[in-house]
């Protein structure tokens, strides 16, 4: 794995943890960071030794959007290049072969919230806040925020968030389904790692298949999804791990139940 300037990648067992390291900027994303995020997640996607990924931020911010000082200094062509590179970065997370768990430790705004919406599971501490405040700059999200917010939250909730630029406690997104759990600050990373380890312990082909299927269910045709589901299940059933686990379960079920001593 490469040495990075704006983030670290640490691996323990089959779990990789990506931590944004621009704490003095609330982990705001500049061009260098954008490229390093892309490189890290693309490499992790192809790493057979990794079964799940946790992503979090150092300090008080998960990611406070784009680095506005750099953003403001861009020329038109530089802005277009930055946006195109952003599309690849978000795809590296959303389409990653491995499940990605966001451990949201603070502000996740603009591009930070767009990144959270690319993750498969989201855990946040009680002080975390999310928002898409681009409208306050007379802009709109450009990293998929308009599309993923509707898919994840529903159109009316997304409209309210997008059109007001509100910054909202993460706890308010639990009922909407975007955030899975709210935990205490000191439990955030341990809980995310615990969940990642549980997932990474399962057969990689099954977990990757589930990620593809649930992604397809958001926007794909039902019949195609059902056919994909049958195909993946058939492969898993015929595979060595599937056959072994099915036999073990059947053997346990067939074992006589011991009667309690009188």
């Amino acid at each position: 794995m490469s040495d990075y300037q704006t983030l670290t990648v640490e691996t323990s067992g089959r779990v990789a943890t990506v931590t944004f390291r621009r704490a003095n900027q609330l982990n705001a994303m500049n061009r260098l960071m954008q490229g390093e995020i892309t490189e890290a997640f693309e490499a992790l996607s192809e790493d057979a030794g990794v079964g799940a990924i946790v992503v979090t931020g150092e300090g008080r911010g998960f990611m406070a959007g784009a680095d506005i000082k750099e953003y403001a200094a861009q020329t038109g062509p530089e802005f277009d290049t930055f946006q195109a590179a952003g599309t690849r970065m978000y795809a590296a997370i959303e389409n990653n072969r491995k499940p990605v768990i966001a451990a949201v430790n603070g502000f996740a705004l603009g591009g930070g919230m767009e990144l959270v919406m690319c993750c498969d599971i989201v855990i946040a501490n009680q002080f975390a806040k999310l928002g898409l405040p681009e409208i306050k700059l007379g802009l709109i999200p450009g990293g998929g925020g308009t599309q993923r917010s509707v898919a994840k939250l529903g159109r009316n909730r997304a409209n309210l968030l997008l059109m007001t630029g509100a910054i909202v406690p993460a706890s308010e997104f639990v009922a909407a389904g975007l955030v899975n759990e709210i935990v205490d600050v000191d439990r955030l990373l341990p809980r995310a790692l615990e969940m990642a380890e549980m997932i990474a312990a399962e057969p990689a082909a099954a977990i990757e298949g589930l990620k593809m299927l649930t992604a397809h269910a958001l926007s794909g045709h039902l019949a195609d999804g059902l056919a994909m589901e049958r195909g993946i299940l058939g492969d898993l059933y015929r595979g060595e791990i599937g056959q072994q686990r099915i036999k073990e379960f059947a053997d346990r079920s067939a074992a006589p139940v011991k009667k309690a001593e009188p």
Side-chain angles (χ1 to χ4, degrees):
M1 193 69 69
S2 301
D3 291 327
Y4 300 110
Q5 297 180 47
T6 65
L7 56 86
T8 56
V9 179
E10 299 166 296
T11 304
S12 176
R14 287 182 49 75
V15 174
T17 302
V18 178
T19 306
F20 305 135
R21 301 286 187 186
R22 299 190 76 217
N24 60 335
Q25 302 291 328
L26 289 177
N27 298 314
M29 180 175 56
N30 59 12
R31 285 192 293 269
L32 174 62
M33 188 176 186
Q34 183 188 68
E36 291 189 340
I37 292 170
T38 304
E39 181 181 336
F41 276 92
E42 288 182 347
L44 289 170
S45 186
E46 299 304 318
D47 188 339
V50 172
I53 304 166
V54 172
V55 58
T56 193
E58 182 180 51
R60 296 186 302 113
F62 176 82
M63 180 188 285
D67 185 325
I68 296 299
K69 283 186 268 188
E70 185 183 91
Y71 200 70
Q74 290 177 335
T75 64
E78 287 172 339
F79 171 79
D80 293 338
T81 299
F82 182 77
Q83 292 303 118
T87 299
R88 178 178 172 184
M89 182 195 74
Y90 293 117
I93 299 167
E94 187 171 50
N95 300 332
N96 202 286
R97 293 174 60 189
K98 317 301 165 61
V100 181
I101 300 172
V104 184
N105 56 298
F107 289 105
L109 307 178
M113 182 169 178
E114 289 177 309
L115 192 149
V116 168
M117 290 191 291
C118 290
C119 295
D120 302 291
I121 295 171
V122 179
I123 304 171
N125 70 32
Q126 69 267 45
F127 303 114
K129 294 186 176 182
L130 292 82
L132 295 166
E134 287 87 346
I135 194 67
K136 299 299 185 182
L137 297 176
L139 303 173
I140 64 169
T146 63
Q147 303 305 295
R148 292 188 182 98
S149 63
V150 173
K152 298 274 185 170
L153 301 171
R155 185 172 178 230
N156 285 15
R157 284 195 188 100
N159 276 338
L160 184 63
L161 201 65
L162 292 162
M163 294 178 182
T164 65
I167 296 172
V168 181
S171 57
E172 295 192 18
F173 290 100
V174 174
L178 174 63
V179 175
N180 295 86
E181 294 181 17
I182 301 293
V183 299
D184 290 339
V185 171
D186 60 353
R187 279 288 298 147
L188 179 64
L189 195 54
R191 175 58 178 150
L193 291 170
E194 176 186 28
M195 191 173 293
E197 287 164 4
M198 186 188 311
I199 292 169
E202 299 298 343
I207 295 297
E208 291 178 21
L210 287 170
K211 176 162 178 170
M212 286 190 296
L213 287 164
T214 57
H216 178 89
L218 274 177
S219 58
H221 190 272
L222 176 60
D224 293 339
L226 293 174
M228 188 188 307
E229 182 181 83
R230 288 193 300 272
I232 292 172
L233 175 59
D235 290 342
L236 293 170
Y237 177 82
R238 292 170 177 82
E240 181 180 347
I241 295 174
Q243 284 294 303
Q244 179 184 341
R245 291 193 180 187
I246 292 166
K247 185 177 185 305
E248 288 171 354
F249 186 86
D251 290 346
R252 288 197 302 271
S253 300
V257 178
K258 292 183 180 180
K259 293 184 178 180
E261 295 293 332

